[in-house]
Amino acid sequence: GAKAAGGSGRDIFTNFVQYNMQLPEVVVCDNSMRPWRAVAGGWCDCIVTDPPYGIRAGAKKQGRDPDRRPVEIRDRSTYIPPKVNYGDDELASDLLNLASEAASAAGC
């Protein structure tokens, strides 16, 4: 898992282990390019997000600048997709849409 600031060795699972709780399943992805299929009725009990704050923290999402020419992908296993700006309104809208589609009624 990702280490906390300062390299303390703590990560998202530390508190779950400390309190002897079942480890959560974690999905880290670009919210604008979801890696799952849509299913009827929510499938997710809890959504935790940490969107960027402030002007300097500008959000990015996968995408291609329409003014640039297409790129030939030679090796998909090492290809890293380009990123474009992700406006605050679009980010908020996508997060709310995700919550309305994925959150289960039994979740938190």
Side-chain angles (χ1 to χ4, degrees):
K3 290 195 176 186
S8 66
R10 294 186 202 133
D11 61 26
I12 191 168
F13 302 105
T14 302
N15 285 347
F16 289 87
V17 171
Q18 179 180 352
Y19 292 104
N20 199 26
M21 296 173 66
Q22 181 179 344
L23 295 179
E25 295 180 40
V26 177
V27 176
V28 178
C29 67
D30 182 337
N31 184 54
S32 71
M33 305 286 275
R34 298 183 193 138
W36 54 79
R37 290 174 285 183
V39 293
W43 56 269
C44 184
D45 291 331
C46 184
I47 298 170
V48 178
T49 182
D50 186 20
Y53 304 96
I55 296 170
R56 293 178 294 205
K60 301 282 186 187
K61 66 177 182 174
Q62 289 182 16
R64 199 174 300 285
D65 182 343
D67 296 333
R68 298 185 79 181
R69 64 182 177 186
V71 174
E72 179 184 343
I73 301 171
R74 294 186 180 142
D75 183 357
R76 291 183 64 85
S77 67
T78 60
Y79 176 71
I80 299 173
K83 298 190 179 198
V84 295
N85 289 333
Y86 199 11
D88 292 342
D89 291 344
E90 185 181 10
L91 172 67
S93 177
D94 283 350
L95 286 172
L96 290 171
N97 285 337
L98 169 64
S100 70
E101 295 166 6
S104 68
C108 55

